[in-house]
């Protein structure tokens, strides 16, 4: 979803034929008055400048640029997946399969109800009763899946974050289902469902004090040269950011302003919400039924601009510059997907290819079990932001800090 909540990225549609005996009307202001008989290249350029180039063509422009941004599927290119991408995806895939998503301490057989023996616990008694009561809002499939032994791994799961209370997850699921039934607008989904999931996960994360959630819907890519000039300056909805640590605060004092704006920023935007908090992961959200391709184009344009900005932060004269893989998330209504972006340096051409690896279905908000899968993945993404991206960013800006 774009920052101003306007659908300006729609695929252009051919103009309606004028009725007979009716005078031709002037074209709308946002269309060029060039004849409709112009060749295809001219037509593409016009729709481009009007901001109405289709998401499919936006992706084609990215692929054909001097430093390409391409999408690759895990399944068809497994032999070429970089090691750090593969490691991260293995962990996420297990959670997406429901393995180890729960962190409940195991009760003894004498205490635990038979239906969830060896699986649940350390939740409050009313929540435990809610799982087993005939009047529970959980359907029989949810209750059965909560009982699988492989779903519970208290020791491993609690290393990344606490369990979000069941009642809170039930309320989230109920709200999401209601919004779908009501066919609510994308902005309602963003605030009441997508943002709620992210905030709940961060609140329970082991790294909550070091991370934050930034709303970047109204942000813009600045300076303009960081963006692909032939493409709309598209943004995403949310970002997981690093709270300024002492090294980041010290380096901020030496950081130069961005372009002609005269404003400092660690990122590819001078919006107040993300100027001083380095972005560690991007999240794009859509309402049910919105285009998956549209979301791909948005997150690709935004993330590619971020990587260009990061390259400008390296020490002058520094040689090869490597950026670690970055997890990305796209939500479409109930459904959430995990992607990873990485860069490959080509020694001969001295250029880089940015690859976005897609995609793992990591959960949804249709039921509590799948919602816990989603929260477990978010906790892993936040762990990665703290353990991988944060140290790397500290190393990147170390040269700015004057001891």
């Amino acid at each position: 979803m774009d920052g101003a909540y306007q659908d300006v990225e729609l695929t252009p549609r051919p103009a309606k034929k004028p009725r007979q005996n009716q005078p031709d009307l002037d074209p709308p202001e946002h269309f060029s008055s060039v004849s409709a008989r112009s060749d295809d290249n001219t037509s593409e350029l016009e729709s481009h400048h009007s901001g109405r180039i289709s998401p499919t063509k936006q992706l084609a422009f990215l692929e054909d640029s001097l430093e390409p941004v391409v999408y690759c599927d895990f399944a068809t290119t497994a032999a070429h997946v970089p090691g750090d991408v593969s490691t991260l995806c293995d962990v996420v895939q297990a959670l997406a399969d429901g393995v180890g998503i729960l962190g409940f301490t195991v009760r003894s057989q004498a205490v635990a109800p038979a239906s969830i023996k060896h699986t649940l616990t350390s939740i409050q008694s009313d929540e435990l009763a809610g799982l087993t009561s005939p009047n529970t809002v959980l359907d029989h499939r949810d209750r059965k899946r909560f009982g699988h032994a492989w779903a519970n791994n208290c020791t491993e799961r609690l290393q990344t974050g606490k369990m979000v209370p069941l009642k809170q997850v039930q309320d989230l699921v109920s709200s999401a289902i209601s919004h779908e039934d009501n066919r609510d607008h994308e902005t309602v989904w963003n605030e009441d469902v997508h943002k709620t999931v992210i905030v709940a996960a961060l609140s329970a994360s082991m790294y909550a004090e070091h991370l934050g959630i930034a709303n970047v819907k109204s942000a813009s890519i600045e300076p303009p040269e960081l963006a692909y000039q032939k493409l709309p300056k598209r943004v995403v909805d949310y970002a997981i950011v690093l709270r300024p640590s002492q090294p980041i605060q010290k380096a901020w004092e030496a950081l130069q302003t961005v372009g002609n704006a005269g404003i400092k920023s660690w990122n590819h935007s001078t919006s107040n919400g993300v100027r001083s908090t380095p972005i560690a992961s991007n999240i794009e959200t859509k309402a049910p039924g919105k285009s998956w391709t549209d979301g791909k184009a948005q997150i690709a344009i935004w993330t590619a601009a971020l990587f260009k900005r990061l390259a400008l932060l390296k020490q002058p004269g520094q040689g090869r510059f490597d950026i670690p893989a970055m997890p990305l998330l796209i939500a479409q209504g109930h459904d959430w997907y995990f992607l990873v972006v990485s860069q490959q340096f080509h020694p001969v051409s001295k250029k880089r290819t940015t690859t976005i690896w897609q995609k793992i279905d990591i959960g949804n908000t249709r039921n509590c079990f799948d919602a816990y899968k989603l929260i477990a993945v978010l906790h892993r993404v936040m762990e990665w932001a703290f353990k991988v991206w944060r140290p790397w960013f500290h190393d990147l800006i170390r040269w700015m800090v004057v001891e």
Side-chain angles (χ1 to χ4, degrees):
M1 182 188 70
D2 290 323
Y5 305 121
Q6 294 178 353
D7 245 339
V8 295
E9 307 298 346
L10 296 176
T11 304
R13 310 207 183 283
K16 294 182 179 179
K17 294 181 179 180
R19 297 177 181 176
Q20 292 183 351
N21 303 323
Q22 293 291 329
D24 289 338
L25 300 176
D26 291 333
E29 291 183 2
H30 58 268
F31 287 119
S32 170
S33 59
V34 175
S35 169
R37 292 188 296 272
S38 300
D39 61 49
D40 290 342
N41 290 336
T42 303
S43 298
E44 283 185 19
L45 187 61
E46 288 166 8
S47 69
H48 204 50
H49 287 308
S50 73
R52 288 181 173 269
I53 183 171
S54 72
T56 300
K57 289 186 178 179
Q58 291 176 35
L59 293 173
F61 275 115
L62 290 171
E63 292 174 1
D64 296 340
S65 62
L66 292 177
E67 293 195 340
V69 181
V70 299
Y71 272 86
C72 288
D73 194 273
F74 293 117
T76 58
T77 56
H80 306 291
V81 177
D84 55 348
V85 174
S86 180
T87 300
L88 184 58
C89 289
D90 286 347
V91 172
V92 169
Q93 184 63 68
L95 296 173
D97 292 336
V99 179
I101 64 167
L102 306 176
F104 298 139
T105 350
V106 179
R107 291 178 186 258
S108 67
Q109 292 189 16
V111 177
S115 60
I116 56 171
K117 200 175 293 182
H118 300 303
T119 331
L120 297 177
T121 212
S122 212
I123 49 179
Q124 297 176 1
S125 58
D126 58 336
E127 292 177 333
L128 182 56
L131 280 172
T132 58
S133 168
N135 298 322
T136 179
V137 297
L138 302 180
D139 63 30
H140 71 280
R141 294 167 300 174
D142 233 355
R143 295 172 65 186
K144 183 176 180 180
R145 290 196 292 171
F146 271 102
H148 290 311
W150 44 259
N152 193 63
N153 186 340
C154 182
T155 303
E156 183 76 16
R157 177 65 184 84
L158 297 183
Q159 289 181 3
T160 58
K162 300 176 293 185
M163 293 297 295
V164 174
L166 178 62
K167 179 62 167 60
Q168 189 174 346
V169 175
Q170 288 174 331
D171 289 344
L172 170 66
V173 169
S174 177
S175 175
I177 292 173
S178 175
H179 290 314
E180 183 177 43
D181 291 343
N182 295 335
R183 299 182 182 86
D184 283 329
H185 190 269
E186 187 170 314
T187 56
V188 179
W189 274 91
N190 288 166
E191 289 299 313
D192 287 0
V193 181
H194 301 139
K195 181 180 177 181
T196 300
V197 171
I198 302 166
V199 171
L202 179 62
S203 298
S205 170
M206 292 294 291
Y207 311 102
E209 64 179 297
H210 304 288
L211 305 174
I213 303 298
N215 183 328
V216 292
K217 298 174 190 176
S218 60
S220 57
I221 296 176
E222 298 172 297
E225 55 265 26
L226 292 177
Y228 285 79
Q229 294 304 298
K230 292 182 178 180
L231 293 175
K233 310 306 182 287
R234 306 192 66 173
V235 303
V236 297
D237 293 303
Y238 302 102
I240 297 174
V241 298
L242 305 179
R243 295 187 186 276
S245 60
Q246 188 174 19
I248 292 174
Q249 290 175 341
K250 286 185 176 180
W252 178 263
E253 299 174 5
L255 181 66
Q256 299 298 308
T257 57
V258 176
N260 297 323
I263 300 174
K264 293 182 179 182
S265 178
W266 290 122
N267 302 304
H268 55 310
S269 176
T270 56
S271 296
N272 285 332
V274 288
R275 286 202 310 121
S276 60
T277 52
I279 292 174
S281 184
N282 292 307
I283 304 171
E284 168 61 11
T285 61
K286 295 286 184 187
K290 289 297 181 97
S291 168
W292 165 255
T293 304
D294 193 39
K296 286 172 60 176
Q298 283 180 254
I299 208 164
I301 292 169
W302 175 261
T303 303
L306 171 61
F307 277 23
K308 285 185 177 182
R309 172 56 180 157
L310 292 172
L312 297 177
L313 295 177
K314 68 179 182 179
Q315 185 172 8
Q318 179 181 340
R320 179 167 172 169
F321 173 71
D322 293 321
I323 300 177
M326 171 186 281
L328 306 172
L329 297 169
I330 296 180
Q332 283 184 289
H334 285 293
D335 303 303
W336 288 68
Y337 303 95
F338 177 85
L339 306 89
V340 183
V341 59
S342 66
Q343 275 196 343
Q344 297 77 46
F345 178 75
H346 305 287
V348 177
S349 65
K350 306 296 184 184
K351 294 181 180 178
R352 296 176 180 272
T353 297
T354 301
T355 303
I356 301 178
W357 307 91
Q358 63 174 1
K359 60 180 175 173
I360 300 175
D361 182 342
I362 57 172
N364 59 69
T365 50
R366 291 185 177 88
N367 59 75
C368 291
F369 190 84
D370 284 326
Y372 273 120
K373 286 162 56 175
L374 171 57
I375 292 168
V377 172
L378 281 166
H379 278 172
R380 282 292 183 178
V381 171
M382 292 168 184
E383 178 189 52
W384 176 94
F386 178 77
K387 290 188 174 181
V388 177
W389 192 263
R390 188 172 183 260
W392 173 83
F393 193 82
H394 284 170
D395 287 340
L396 174 66
I397 63 174
R398 191 182 306 277
W399 67 275
M400 300 182 189
V401 180
V402 179
E403 300 293 342

Short mmCIF file of all heavy atoms in Angstrom, two decimals, residues 164-195:
data_model
loop_
_atom_site.label_atom_id
_atom_site.label_comp_id
_atom_site.label_asym_id
_atom_site.label_seq_id
_atom_site.Cartn_x
_atom_site.Cartn_y
_atom_site.Cartn_z
N VAL A 164 2.86 -14.83 23.28
CA VAL A 164 1.80 -13.84 23.36
C VAL A 164 0.57 -14.52 23.96
O VAL A 164 0.23 -15.64 23.57
CB VAL A 164 1.47 -13.29 21.95
CG1 VAL A 164 0.26 -12.36 22.00
CG2 VAL A 164 2.68 -12.58 21.36
N PRO A 165 -0.09 -13.91 24.96
CA PRO A 165 -1.24 -14.56 25.61
C PRO A 165 -2.29 -15.03 24.62
O PRO A 165 -2.59 -14.35 23.64
CB PRO A 165 -1.78 -13.47 26.54
CG PRO A 165 -0.60 -12.58 26.81
CD PRO A 165 0.20 -12.59 25.56
N LEU A 166 -2.87 -16.19 24.90
CA LEU A 166 -3.85 -16.78 24.00
C LEU A 166 -5.04 -15.85 23.77
O LEU A 166 -5.53 -15.71 22.64
CB LEU A 166 -4.33 -18.12 24.57
CG LEU A 166 -5.41 -18.83 23.76
CD1 LEU A 166 -4.91 -19.19 22.38
CD2 LEU A 166 -5.91 -20.06 24.50
N LYS A 167 -5.52 -15.20 24.82
CA LYS A 167 -6.68 -14.31 24.68
C LYS A 167 -6.37 -13.19 23.68
O LYS A 167 -7.23 -12.80 22.88
CB LYS A 167 -7.04 -13.72 26.04
CG LYS A 167 -8.22 -12.74 26.02
CD LYS A 167 -9.51 -13.42 25.54
CE LYS A 167 -10.74 -12.56 25.80
NZ LYS A 167 -10.68 -11.25 25.12
N GLN A 168 -5.17 -12.68 23.72
CA GLN A 168 -4.77 -11.62 22.80
C GLN A 168 -4.77 -12.12 21.35
O GLN A 168 -5.20 -11.42 20.44
CB GLN A 168 -3.38 -11.10 23.18
CG GLN A 168 -2.94 -9.86 22.43
CD GLN A 168 -1.61 -9.34 22.96
OE1 GLN A 168 -1.14 -9.72 24.02
NE2 GLN A 168 -0.98 -8.45 22.21
N VAL A 169 -4.31 -13.35 21.16
CA VAL A 169 -4.29 -13.94 19.82
C VAL A 169 -5.72 -14.23 19.35
O VAL A 169 -6.06 -14.01 18.18
CB VAL A 169 -3.43 -15.22 19.81
CG1 VAL A 169 -3.51 -15.91 18.44
CG2 VAL A 169 -1.98 -14.89 20.15
N GLN A 170 -6.56 -14.70 20.25
CA GLN A 170 -7.97 -14.94 19.90
C GLN A 170 -8.65 -13.65 19.45
O GLN A 170 -9.40 -13.64 18.46
CB GLN A 170 -8.71 -15.53 21.10
CG GLN A 170 -8.35 -16.97 21.42
CD GLN A 170 -9.02 -17.44 22.71
OE1 GLN A 170 -9.29 -16.65 23.61
NE2 GLN A 170 -9.29 -18.73 22.79
N ASP A 171 -8.39 -12.57 20.16
CA ASP A 171 -8.99 -11.28 19.79
C ASP A 171 -8.49 -10.83 18.41
O ASP A 171 -9.26 -10.28 17.61
CB ASP A 171 -8.65 -10.22 20.83
CG ASP A 171 -9.38 -10.45 22.15
OD1 ASP A 171 -10.35 -11.23 22.17
OD2 ASP A 171 -8.96 -9.85 23.16
N LEU A 172 -7.21 -11.06 18.15
CA LEU A 172 -6.64 -10.69 16.86
C LEU A 172 -7.31 -11.47 15.73
O LEU A 172 -7.70 -10.90 14.70
CB LEU A 172 -5.14 -10.97 16.87
CG LEU A 172 -4.40 -10.88 15.54
CD1 LEU A 172 -4.41 -9.45 15.03
CD2 LEU A 172 -2.97 -11.39 15.67
N VAL A 173 -7.44 -12.78 15.92
CA VAL A 173 -8.07 -13.63 14.90
C VAL A 173 -9.53 -13.21 14.67
O VAL A 173 -9.98 -13.10 13.53
CB VAL A 173 -7.98 -15.11 15.31
CG1 VAL A 173 -8.86 -15.98 14.42
CG2 VAL A 173 -6.54 -15.59 15.27
N SER A 174 -10.25 -12.96 15.75
CA SER A 174 -11.64 -12.54 15.65
C SER A 174 -11.77 -11.24 14.88
O SER A 174 -12.66 -11.08 14.03
CB SER A 174 -12.24 -12.40 17.05
OG SER A 174 -13.56 -11.94 16.99
N SER A 175 -10.87 -10.30 15.16
CA SER A 175 -10.89 -9.01 14.47
C SER A 175 -10.61 -9.18 12.98
O SER A 175 -11.28 -8.58 12.13
CB SER A 175 -9.86 -8.07 15.10
OG SER A 175 -9.77 -6.85 14.40
N ALA A 176 -9.62 -10.01 12.65
CA ALA A 176 -9.26 -10.21 11.25
C ALA A 176 -10.40 -10.84 10.47
O ALA A 176 -10.70 -10.43 9.33
CB ALA A 176 -8.01 -11.09 11.16
N ILE A 177 -11.05 -11.83 11.06
CA ILE A 177 -12.18 -12.48 10.39
C ILE A 177 -13.32 -11.49 10.18
O ILE A 177 -13.97 -11.47 9.13
CB ILE A 177 -12.63 -13.71 11.20
CG1 ILE A 177 -11.56 -14.80 11.17
CG2 ILE A 177 -13.96 -14.25 10.67
CD1 ILE A 177 -11.84 -15.98 12.07
N SER A 178 -13.56 -10.64 11.17
CA SER A 178 -14.60 -9.63 11.06
C SER A 178 -14.31 -8.67 9.92
O SER A 178 -15.22 -8.31 9.14
CB SER A 178 -14.74 -8.87 12.38
OG SER A 178 -15.66 -7.81 12.27
N HIS A 179 -13.05 -8.23 9.79
CA HIS A 179 -12.69 -7.30 8.72
C HIS A 179 -12.87 -7.94 7.35
O HIS A 179 -13.27 -7.28 6.39
CB HIS A 179 -11.26 -6.81 8.90
CG HIS A 179 -11.09 -5.90 10.06
ND1 HIS A 179 -11.95 -4.85 10.32
CD2 HIS A 179 -10.14 -5.86 11.05
CE1 HIS A 179 -11.56 -4.21 11.41
NE2 HIS A 179 -10.46 -4.80 11.88
N GLU A 180 -12.56 -9.23 7.26
CA GLU A 180 -12.76 -9.91 5.98
C GLU A 180 -14.25 -10.01 5.65
O GLU A 180 -14.67 -9.75 4.52
CB GLU A 180 -12.14 -11.30 6.02
CG GLU A 180 -12.26 -12.04 4.68
CD GLU A 180 -11.59 -13.39 4.71
OE1 GLU A 180 -11.74 -14.11 5.73
OE2 GLU A 180 -10.92 -13.74 3.73
N ASP A 181 -15.06 -10.37 6.63
CA ASP A 181 -16.50 -10.48 6.42
C ASP A 181 -17.12 -9.14 6.00
O ASP A 181 -18.04 -9.09 5.18
CB ASP A 181 -17.20 -10.98 7.69
CG ASP A 181 -16.88 -12.43 8.01
OD1 ASP A 181 -16.38 -13.15 7.10
OD2 ASP A 181 -17.09 -12.85 9.16
N ASN A 182 -16.57 -8.05 6.57
CA ASN A 182 -17.09 -6.72 6.27
C ASN A 182 -16.49 -6.10 5.01
O ASN A 182 -16.87 -5.00 4.62
CB ASN A 182 -16.84 -5.78 7.45
CG ASN A 182 -17.59 -6.19 8.70
OD1 ASN A 182 -18.64 -6.86 8.62
ND2 ASN A 182 -17.09 -5.80 9.86
N ARG A 183 -15.54 -6.81 4.40
CA ARG A 183 -14.82 -6.30 3.22
C ARG A 183 -14.22 -4.93 3.50
O ARG A 183 -14.34 -3.99 2.70
CB ARG A 183 -15.76 -6.24 2.00
CG ARG A 183 -16.33 -7.58 1.59
CD ARG A 183 -17.21 -7.44 0.35
NE ARG A 183 -17.80 -8.71 -0.04
CZ ARG A 183 -18.93 -9.21 0.45
NH1 ARG A 183 -19.59 -8.49 1.37
NH2 ARG A 183 -19.41 -10.37 0.05
N ASP A 184 -13.57 -4.82 4.65
CA ASP A 184 -13.05 -3.53 5.08
C ASP A 184 -11.87 -3.08 4.21
O ASP A 184 -11.17 -3.88 3.59
CB ASP A 184 -12.61 -3.61 6.55
CG ASP A 184 -13.81 -3.56 7.49
OD1 ASP A 184 -14.81 -2.91 7.14
OD2 ASP A 184 -13.74 -4.18 8.57
N HIS A 185 -11.65 -1.77 4.23
CA HIS A 185 -10.61 -1.13 3.43
C HIS A 185 -9.22 -1.53 3.94
O HIS A 185 -9.04 -1.92 5.09
CB HIS A 185 -10.78 0.40 3.50
CG HIS A 185 -9.93 1.14 2.54
ND1 HIS A 185 -8.67 1.59 2.84
CD2 HIS A 185 -10.16 1.51 1.24
CE1 HIS A 185 -8.15 2.23 1.80
NE2 HIS A 185 -9.03 2.19 0.81
N GLU A 186 -8.26 -1.37 3.06
CA GLU A 186 -6.88 -1.74 3.38
C GLU A 186 -6.34 -1.00 4.61
O GLU A 186 -5.60 -1.57 5.41
CB GLU A 186 -5.98 -1.45 2.17
CG GLU A 186 -4.56 -1.93 2.32
CD GLU A 186 -3.80 -1.84 1.00
OE1 GLU A 186 -4.36 -2.25 -0.03
OE2 GLU A 186 -2.67 -1.35 1.03
N THR A 187 -6.72 0.27 4.76
CA THR A 187 -6.23 1.03 5.91
C THR A 187 -6.71 0.42 7.23
O THR A 187 -6.00 0.46 8.24
CB THR A 187 -6.67 2.50 5.83
OG1 THR A 187 -8.10 2.54 5.70
CG2 THR A 187 -6.04 3.19 4.64
N VAL A 188 -7.91 -0.14 7.22
CA VAL A 188 -8.44 -0.78 8.43
C VAL A 188 -7.66 -2.05 8.73
O VAL A 188 -7.29 -2.32 9.88
CB VAL A 188 -9.94 -1.10 8.25
CG1 VAL A 188 -10.50 -1.80 9.49
CG2 VAL A 188 -10.73 0.17 7.96
N TRP A 189 -7.39 -2.85 7.71
CA TRP A 189 -6.56 -4.05 7.89
C TRP A 189 -5.18 -3.68 8.44
O TRP A 189 -4.67 -4.33 9.36
CB TRP A 189 -6.39 -4.77 6.55
CG TRP A 189 -7.50 -5.71 6.24
CD1 TRP A 189 -8.64 -5.44 5.55
CD2 TRP A 189 -7.57 -7.09 6.60
NE1 TRP A 189 -9.43 -6.56 5.47
CE2 TRP A 189 -8.79 -7.60 6.10
CE3 TRP A 189 -6.72 -7.96 7.29
CZ2 TRP A 189 -9.18 -8.93 6.27
CZ3 TRP A 189 -7.11 -9.29 7.46
CH2 TRP A 189 -8.32 -9.75 6.96
N ASN A 190 -4.59 -2.64 7.89
CA ASN A 190 -3.26 -2.22 8.33
C ASN A 190 -3.20 -1.91 9.82
O ASN A 190 -2.32 -2.40 10.54
CB ASN A 190 -2.80 -0.99 7.55
CG ASN A 190 -2.44 -1.29 6.11
OD1 ASN A 190 -2.29 -0.39 5.31
ND2 ASN A 190 -2.29 -2.55 5.75
N GLU A 191 -4.15 -1.11 10.26
CA GLU A 191 -4.11 -0.64 11.64
C GLU A 191 -4.60 -1.69 12.64
O GLU A 191 -4.01 -1.87 13.70
CB GLU A 191 -4.96 0.63 11.77
CG GLU A 191 -4.35 1.85 11.11
CD GLU A 191 -3.00 2.22 11.70
OE1 GLU A 191 -2.87 2.26 12.94
OE2 GLU A 191 -2.06 2.45 10.92
N ASP A 192 -5.68 -2.39 12.30
CA ASP A 192 -6.31 -3.29 13.27
C ASP A 192 -5.75 -4.71 13.25
O ASP A 192 -5.91 -5.44 14.23
CB ASP A 192 -7.82 -3.35 13.02
CG ASP A 192 -8.53 -2.09 13.45
OD1 ASP A 192 -7.85 -1.18 13.94
OD2 ASP A 192 -9.76 -2.01 13.28
N VAL A 193 -5.14 -5.12 12.14
CA VAL A 193 -4.64 -6.49 12.04
C VAL A 193 -3.13 -6.52 11.87
O VAL A 193 -2.40 -7.01 12.72
CB VAL A 193 -5.35 -7.25 10.88
CG1 VAL A 193 -4.83 -8.69 10.81
CG2 VAL A 193 -6.85 -7.24 11.08
N HIS A 194 -2.64 -5.99 10.75
CA HIS A 194 -1.21 -6.12 10.44
C HIS A 194 -0.33 -5.45 11.49
O HIS A 194 0.62 -6.05 12.00
CB HIS A 194 -0.94 -5.53 9.06
CG HIS A 194 -1.72 -6.20 7.96
ND1 HIS A 194 -2.32 -5.50 6.93
CD2 HIS A 194 -2.04 -7.51 7.76
CE1 HIS A 194 -2.93 -6.35 6.13
NE2 HIS A 194 -2.80 -7.57 6.62
N LYS A 195 -0.65 -4.20 11.80
CA LYS A 195 0.14 -3.49 12.80
C LYS A 195 0.02 -4.15 14.16
O LYS A 195 1.01 -4.26 14.91
CB LYS A 195 -0.31 -2.02 12.89
CG LYS A 195 0.48 -1.20 13.90
CD LYS A 195 -0.03 0.23 13.93
CE LYS A 195 0.69 1.05 14.99
NZ LYS A 195 0.17 2.44 15.05
#
